[in-house]
Amino acid sequence: MKIILDVDNEVEETEVIIKCKELNNEVMQLQSALLQESKREQTLELTSNGKSYFISIDKLLFFETNGSKIAAHTKSDYFECNMTLRDLEDYLPGNFLRVSKSTILNINYVQSISRNLTGASEIEFSGTDKTTYVSRSYFKMFMDKMKERR
Amino acid sequence: MKKNSNIFWGLILILIAIYLVASKFVNIPSFSFFTIVLTLFFAYGVISGLRHGSFLEAVMSLAFLGCIYDKELGITAITPWTLLLSAALLGIGLDKIFKGVFKKKRWSVNITHNDDNIPVHNESIENGNFNMDNVFGTNTKYFAGEELVTIEANNAFGNVNLYFDKAILPSNLCIAEINNTFGNINLYIPKDWEVRIKPSSFCGAVINKHESSTETTNVIEIDANTAFGSIKIF
């Protein structure tokens, strides 16, 4: 079996293609192993009141700076994160996007965007009252990303 | 206060009606209907600002009047943004200086993380008394682990989110004065707190979406004042 690794920094999500002559046991086992790996939940270690929690990344709405720390928000709670926003940008999957100097959000949960007088646009998330803001300088990039998903 | 407001708006509508009829018979300088409505609106803002001791509201209303009549006043070189920004800073400055003079003090200044505008920051907490002033910026404050007795948060042209989760109220009571103009303030209050609100708004809204659980442990009393913006309580 030949293994080809094609590294391309333009690719947003890792994709695995299996080319085979026939669907035999070996190929099916390989497919099954890859499927299992892709379904494995990616978690992040976060803290609250001195306790550590391993929270699924899919459950996180946004990260924002809180003084010298980072607050990580789920729909109903928030935690402290020990990583910097820059490190988070590298670590998080493609559905997380920097929207201001102080905020990274999960575009999968974005429900509405309201432009207002203050320059920053308010983002509402589905299933929660929490909001955050996209700053003017990141707005175009954010909107382009949202439009890509239509 | 509501009665005075009704009389005022009633008079405005009557004056507009008179103008619309009279302008067909007499040679009155021609201003569009929209201009007249805006003039009356901002004139009310000037009076309301002075009455409440809010220089920012009064000066900003004057600045908007300046923008409407910039050609007549010969100030097109500084409208709209230079005039509006100067007025905001002037209003905030005057409010800061005369804060103690008026019993009902109003708007002032701040910012912690600010991407788009002038970075001005003023935030402090001492003996459970939290003070925040925010202008032209987006600012979030988390009170987790902090003892709170009183809160005063002033916002102008900015966005502020205040999270009260895991805050400690030594006397089970927190007194909050929230002042907002041309911006948004969102307050996220735990479900086991009871919320008592005294709302006051001028061309804005105080929206309470907070739902307390059946048994509450703490009480927060909020004096919520807004003009041209919103205060939301979740």
Side-chain angles (χ1 to χ4, degrees):
Chain A
M1 184 165 58
K2 240 188 350 185
I3 295 175
I4 299 166
L5 195 64
D6 184 6
V7 180
D8 180 356
N9 58 13
E10 297 288 309
V11 170
E12 286 193 4
E13 197 177 353
T14 305
E15 190 178 33
V16 180
I17 298 167
I18 304 170
K19 278 187 186 173
C20 58
K21 198 170 182 180
E22 58 174 351
L23 201 59
N24 57 25
N25 268 349
E26 188 191 16
V27 173
M28 283 169 77
Q29 272 175 12
L30 184 61
Q31 187 201 18
S32 166
L34 286 167
L35 265 175
Q36 221 170 353
E37 180 59 28
S38 70
K39 281 180 184 168
R40 195 160 59 92
E41 212 174 32
Q42 203 182 352
T43 59
L44 196 62
E45 185 183 356
L46 303 169
T47 58
S48 179
N49 290 336
K51 279 186 188 173
S52 284
Y53 296 85
F54 290 87
I55 305 291
S56 166
I57 284 177
D58 291 340
K59 288 184 180 163
L60 293 167
L61 299 183
F62 64 98
F63 296 83
E64 69 179 0
T65 52
N66 171 25
S68 58
K69 296 167 186 166
I70 302 291
H73 286 257
T74 60
K75 283 183 181 177
S76 58
D77 211 343
Y78 71 85
F79 302 85
E80 273 178 21
C81 177
N82 291 325
M83 295 169 81
T84 63
L85 280 184
R86 185 171 285 255
D87 291 341
L88 282 167
E89 267 186 298
D90 293 337
Y91 180 76
L92 294 167
N95 52 309
F96 283 85
L97 191 69
R98 187 78 167 247
V99 292
S100 72
K101 282 179 190 165
S102 56
T103 312
I104 292 174
L105 64 73
N106 184 346
I107 57 175
N108 290 347
Y109 286 106
V110 172
Q111 181 172 270
S112 69
I113 303 145
S114 317
R115 302 209 73 173
N116 61 35
L117 270 174
T118 62
S121 302
E122 189 177 23
I123 302 292
E124 288 182 335
F125 299 97
S126 54
T128 178
D129 291 320
K130 288 183 179 180
T131 59
T132 191
Y133 295 89
V134 177
S135 75
R136 209 164 37 208
S137 47
Y138 287 82
F139 185 76
K140 190 181 176 305
M141 193 170 59
F142 170 72
M143 288 306 286
D144 288 345
K145 186 83 176 173
M146 291 302 291
K147 282 171 189 167
E148 268 176 31
R149 297 166 60 84
R150 283 190 302 184
Chain B
M1 186 186 252
K2 197 178 176 188
K3 195 179 172 189
N4 288 341
S5 178
N6 284 342
I7 292 168
F8 179 85
W9 287 111
L11 283 171
I12 281 181
L13 294 173
I14 291 165
L15 284 170
I16 292 169
I18 292 169
Y19 173 82
L20 288 172
V21 175
S23 61
K24 298 290 175 193
F25 298 104
V26 189
N27 191 20
I28 296 172
S30 62
F31 291 108
S32 73
F33 174 74
F34 191 60
T35 306
I36 293 162
V37 172
L38 281 178
T39 303
L40 293 168
F41 179 76
F42 287 116
Y44 179 68
V46 175
I47 295 162
S48 168
L50 292 174
R51 204 180 62 183
H52 292 99
S54 167
F55 284 104
L56 184 59
E57 190 180 337
V59 174
M60 282 307 296
S61 298
L62 273 175
F64 278 110
L65 284 172
C67 291
I68 294 168
Y69 296 103
D70 56 353
K71 281 180 195 148
E72 289 80 1
L73 295 168
I75 54 168
T76 48
I78 59 163
T79 56
W81 299 115
T82 308
L83 181 63
L84 291 175
L85 184 61
S86 309
L89 295 172
L90 178 67
I92 290 158
L94 288 169
D95 275 342
K96 281 275 179 201
I97 293 165
F98 296 106
K99 206 172 183 180
V101 177
F102 294 99
K103 200 178 173 185
K104 286 194 102 183
K105 58 185 176 353
R106 287 271 120 53
W107 330 111
S108 44
V109 203
N110 154 45
I111 279 146
T112 24
H113 43 70
N114 182 344
D115 286 309
D116 292 315
N117 295 294
I118 303 162
V120 191
H121 176 72
N122 181 14
E123 181 184 308
S124 67
I125 186 159
E126 204 172 310
N127 300 325
N129 302 307
F130 175 77
N131 270 279
M132 171 195 270
D133 297 308
N134 185 65
V135 170
F136 282 121
T138 298
N139 187 30
T140 303
K141 175 67 187 172
Y142 297 85
F143 294 111
E146 307 245 31
E147 288 195 353
L148 285 178
V149 179
T150 65
I151 288 168
E152 187 191 328
N154 304 303
N155 174 55
F157 298 95
N159 303 298
V160 173
N161 284 348
L162 302 176
Y163 289 90
F164 291 85
D165 304 62
K166 299 158 197 163
I168 301 156
L169 305 192
S171 55
N172 300 111
L173 175 68
C174 178
I175 308 286
E177 186 183 333
I178 309 294
N179 300 314
N180 177 59
T181 189
F182 286 105
N184 303 302
I185 300 186
N186 296 329
L187 285 79
Y188 296 93
I189 295 168
K191 299 282 177 218
D192 61 346
W193 289 24
E194 183 188 338
V195 175
R196 297 174 190 159
I197 307 173
K198 272 197 286 178
S200 162
S201 65
F202 169 70
C203 297
V206 177
I207 300 161
N208 181 16
K209 291 187 172 180
H210 180 77
E211 288 173 9
S212 298
S213 53
T214 45
E215 283 185 18
T216 54
T217 52
N218 293 316
V219 175
I220 183 165
E221 290 182 358
I222 304 168
D223 188 359
N225 308 294
T226 186
F228 303 100
S230 73
I231 297 174
K232 291 180 194 160
I233 297 137
F234 299 105

